[in-house]
């Protein structure tokens, strides 16, 4: 048996600790955290059961089922959206968790298929997407373990899954189904299935099939209508027809109507001119009013069954890098509860490394010898932790801007993050950054 199988068998076979109720709701009176299961010290924010400013079900760590829905409902009701950041490493995950805690807010951590494969290691064969499945599962356990320690609620999500990538999602759902048997909740919180390039009816049929399977264990489905322009993770929509970048109220209503009959555990990534990546302004016009028209159209269709806020749909915002803040906040007012962030955090991570190299360039040219002396060692500068930490710090700073733009600050009621203690000194691995 491989080392990975040994680890997964141990983790997936732990004593039952979670009890499911409606739509994956967890009975928090008997909930065992990862820290409790494995005897990991859990103090201060890690040890709290709930937040003063949030629904009772919302707790530190990964949220699933009703707790996740309660958080998303709270976001819609209180006019904020949760940043959703694509991660490809444990370092990137830790930066997201630190940013969430510093901003006193929840966060969505998500993996793409390519990011999942990278997490597993590019040398690992990916036939039948086995490396991408293993990488996502590995990342999920890292998020579950560390989210509790940072004391923040996290939605653990996977990003765009085109039709050809469905075996990847199948593998992750299977992992969640096994995890559910022992823990009463899925391993992941949600998955996106992006069939926007397929015929509309096929998109809805396949999404309905997956929603039926996923909702049984409290997994939420994110689906996409229309096409997000630009390029991301190997999917190139830079030449897509302009009309495909905008969803119609009729399409959104038909989607809402069909999926609601299966389960309420879904969100919609509608197209309103969104574009992945950063491009010159003016090429595509963002039209958040499309979301408002759709909410009004669906509310009229629902009549007396429409919710009081007349915003029946939970929307997600893809391709927002470089968008005007006023457009972002209009979209939030119209029901956006999650906004993807990838391009900007890719740059911030790289920029942190670039700036570190610029600052310490003369200490990074050899193992021995620098401006302080020909015999002076440079180990503490080329230690990989150095540039990686610089990347994390820069990304945390960039995410602070994202949290502010999305009105997602001071949500938890925890106050400022305390300064870390027992940090190792220079002779024991301490870092200049």
């Amino acid at each position: 048996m491989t080392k990975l199988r040994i680890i997964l068998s141990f983790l997936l076979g732990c004593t039952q600790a979670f009890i499911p109720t409606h739509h994956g709701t967890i009975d928090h009176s008997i909930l065992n955290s990862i820290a409790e299961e494995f005897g990991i010290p859990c103090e201060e924010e890690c040890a709290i059961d709930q937040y003063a400013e949030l629904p009772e079900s919302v707790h530190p760590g990964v949220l699933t089922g009703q707790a996740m829905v309660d958080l998303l409902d709270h976001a819609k009701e209180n006019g904020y959206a949760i940043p959703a950041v694509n991660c490809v490493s444990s370092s990137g995950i830790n930066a997201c968790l630190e940013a969430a805690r510093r901003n006193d807010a929840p966060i969505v951590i998500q993996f793409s298929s390519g990011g999942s494969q990278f997490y597993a290691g590019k040398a690992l064969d990916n036939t039948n997407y086995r490396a991408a499945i293993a990488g996502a599962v590995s990342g999920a356990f890292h998020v579950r373990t560390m989210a509790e320690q940072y004391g923040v609620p996290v939605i653990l999500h996977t990003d765009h899954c085109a039709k050809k990538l469905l075996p990847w999602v199948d593998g992750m759902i299977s992992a969640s189904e096994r995890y559910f048997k022992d823990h009463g909740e899925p391993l992941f919180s949600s998955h996106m299935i992006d069939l926007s390039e397929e015929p509309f009816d096929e998109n809805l049929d396949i999404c309905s099939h997956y929603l039926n399977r996923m909702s049984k264990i409290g997994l939420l489905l994110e689906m996409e209508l229309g096409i997000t322009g630009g390029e991301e993770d190997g999917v190139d929509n830079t030449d897509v027809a302009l009309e495909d970048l905008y969803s119609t109220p009729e399409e959104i209503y038909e989607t809402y109507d069909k999926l609601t009959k299966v389960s309420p555990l879904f969100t919609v990534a509608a197209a309103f001119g969104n574009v992945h990546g950063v491009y010159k302004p003016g090429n595509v016009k963002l039209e958040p009013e499309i979301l408002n028209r759709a909410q009004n159209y669906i509310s009229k269709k629902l009549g007396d069954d429409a919710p009081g806020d007349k915003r029946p749909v939970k929307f997600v915002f893809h391709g927002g890098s470089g968008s005007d803040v006023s457009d972002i906040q209009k979209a939030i007012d119209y029901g956006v509860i999650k906004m993807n962030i990838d391009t900007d955090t890719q740059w911030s991570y790289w920029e942190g490394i670039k700036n570190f190299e610029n600052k310490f360039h003369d200490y990074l040219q050899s193992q021995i010898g620098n401006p302080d002396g020909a015999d002076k060692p440079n180990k503490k500068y080329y230690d990989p932790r150095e540039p990686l930490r610089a990347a994390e710090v820069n990304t945390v700073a960039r995410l602070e801007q994202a949290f502010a733009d999305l009105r997602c600050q001071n949500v938890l009621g925890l106050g400022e993050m305390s300064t870390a203690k027992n940090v190792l000194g220079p002779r024991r691995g301490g870092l200049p950054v």
Side-chain angles (χ1 to χ4, degrees):
M1 181 178 285
T2 66
K3 184 179 294 185
L4 177 61
R5 286 176 180 165
I6 293 171
I7 293 171
L8 291 181
S9 295
F10 174 70
L11 289 170
L12 293 174
C14 293
T15 303
Q16 182 171 346
F18 299 94
I19 301 298
T21 56
H22 180 63
H23 289 307
T25 303
I26 302 166
D27 182 349
H28 291 279
S29 66
I30 60 169
L31 183 148
N32 282 353
S33 66
I34 290 289
E36 289 172 322
E37 282 195 55
F38 298 102
I40 303 170
C42 184
E43 301 173 1
E44 299 179 345
E45 292 96 343
C46 175
I48 67 174
D49 294 323
Q50 62 189 76
Y51 303 97
E53 307 297 331
L54 290 174
E56 183 178 348
S57 61
V58 180
H59 56 85
V62 171
L63 304 181
T64 63
Q66 194 61 47
M68 168 182 53
V69 172
D70 288 346
L71 176 61
L72 296 178
D73 285 342
H74 185 270
K76 187 153 72 81
E77 292 164 4
N78 290 274
Y80 66 91
I82 304 171
V85 188
N86 284 55
C87 295
V88 301
S89 69
S90 58
S91 172
I93 291 170
N94 293 346
C96 290
L97 295 173
E98 179 181 344
R101 180 60 192 87
R102 291 192 183 282
N103 286 275
D104 195 21
I107 193 167
V108 180
I109 292 177
Q110 58 191 31
F111 308 123
S112 67
S113 59
S116 298
Q117 182 189 0
F118 185 86
Y119 204 100
K122 293 291 284 188
L124 185 62
D125 182 76
N126 197 35
T127 302
N128 297 321
Y129 301 102
R130 70 181 185 93
I133 294 168
V137 169
S138 176
F141 280 113
H142 180 87
V143 173
R144 278 191 166 273
T145 302
M146 299 312 301
E148 295 174 359
Q149 296 296 319
Y150 281 85
V152 296
V154 174
I155 294 175
L156 178 55
H157 181 67
T158 60
D159 204 8
H160 293 269
C161 174
K163 189 175 182 180
K164 67 180 180 180
L165 295 174
L166 287 174
W168 171 54
V169 161
D170 288 335
M172 292 185 291
I173 295 175
S174 293
S176 277
E177 288 169 338
R178 291 191 61 184
Y179 192 86
F180 185 89
K181 290 179 181 178
D182 289 325
H183 298 83
E185 69 168 347
L187 178 62
F188 295 88
S189 306
S190 55
H191 299 294
M192 181 190 185
I193 295 179
D194 179 4
L195 303 178
S196 56
E197 294 185 338
E198 309 304 326
F200 178 72
D201 289 342
E202 182 180 0
N203 184 354
L204 293 193
D205 287 344
I206 293 176
C207 284
S208 295
H209 168 76
Y210 273 91
L211 179 58
N212 182 59
R213 178 185 178 187
M214 293 166 61
S215 62
K216 291 176 181 177
I217 58 171
L219 275 170
L220 180 142
L221 169 71
E222 178 182 316
M223 64 87 65
E224 180 157 347
L225 287 175
I227 295 176
T228 302
E231 190 275 335
E232 182 178 58
D233 206 39
V235 178
D236 190 349
N237 290 326
T238 53
D239 296 324
V240 70
L242 187 61
E243 60 269 20
D244 291 333
L245 297 178
Y246 301 95
S247 300
T248 67
E250 293 79 10
E251 289 173 335
I252 298 172
Y253 169 70
E254 189 172 344
T255 299
Y256 176 86
D257 183 58
K258 183 160 186 170
L259 295 184
T260 300
K261 291 174 181 176
V262 179
S263 169
L265 283 174
F266 70 91
T267 57
V268 178
F272 54 103
N274 333 39
V275 176
H276 286 135
V278 178
Y279 300 91
K280 291 182 179 179
N283 289 344
V284 177
K285 183 175 174 57
L286 203 63
E287 295 280 3
E289 185 62 33
I290 286 174
L291 306 181
N292 190 38
R293 290 198 294 268
Q295 299 281 33
N296 291 335
Y297 180 85
I298 296 171
S299 293
K300 288 180 181 179
K301 286 283 190 179
L302 294 175
D304 293 340
D305 293 329
D309 64 3
K310 305 300 182 183
R311 292 179 294 169
V313 183
K314 294 184 180 74
F315 285 118
V316 299
F317 187 168
H318 287 235
S321 295
S323 298
D324 189 89
V325 175
S326 65
D327 284 335
I328 292 173
Q329 295 185 349
K330 283 180 184 177
I332 295 172
D333 292 337
Y334 300 150
V336 164
I337 43 77
K338 166 182 177 281
M339 179 173 169
N340 284 14
I341 303 167
D342 187 19
T343 302
D344 289 345
T345 47
Q346 286 178 340
W347 174 257
S348 67
Y349 199 90
W350 157 245
E351 185 182 49
I353 294 173
K354 179 173 69 75
N355 292 345
F356 177 84
E357 196 282 333
N358 287 340
K359 182 176 181 179
F360 297 109
H361 177 82
D362 292 342
Y363 296 82
L364 297 168
Q365 304 310 302
S366 61
Q367 287 186 291
I368 298 175
N370 59 49
D372 298 329
D375 60 346
K376 297 294 184 181
N378 295 315
K379 177 176 170 54
K380 69 178 181 179
Y381 296 97
Y382 64 76
D383 184 322
R385 291 172 291 178
E386 294 279 11
L388 290 181
R389 180 55 184 162
E392 292 171 5
V393 170
N394 206 53
T395 298
V396 169
R398 174 60 185 86
L399 284 174
E400 182 175 3
Q401 177 187 335
F403 279 100
D405 292 347
L406 299 179
R407 306 179 187 142
C408 189
Q409 291 177 309
N410 303 315
V411 173
L412 307 181
L414 295 177
E416 292 186 6
M417 185 179 187
S418 59
T419 302
K421 301 181 180 66
N422 197 28
V423 178
L424 300 177
R427 296 190 63 188
R428 293 291 184 269
L431 310 178
V433 296

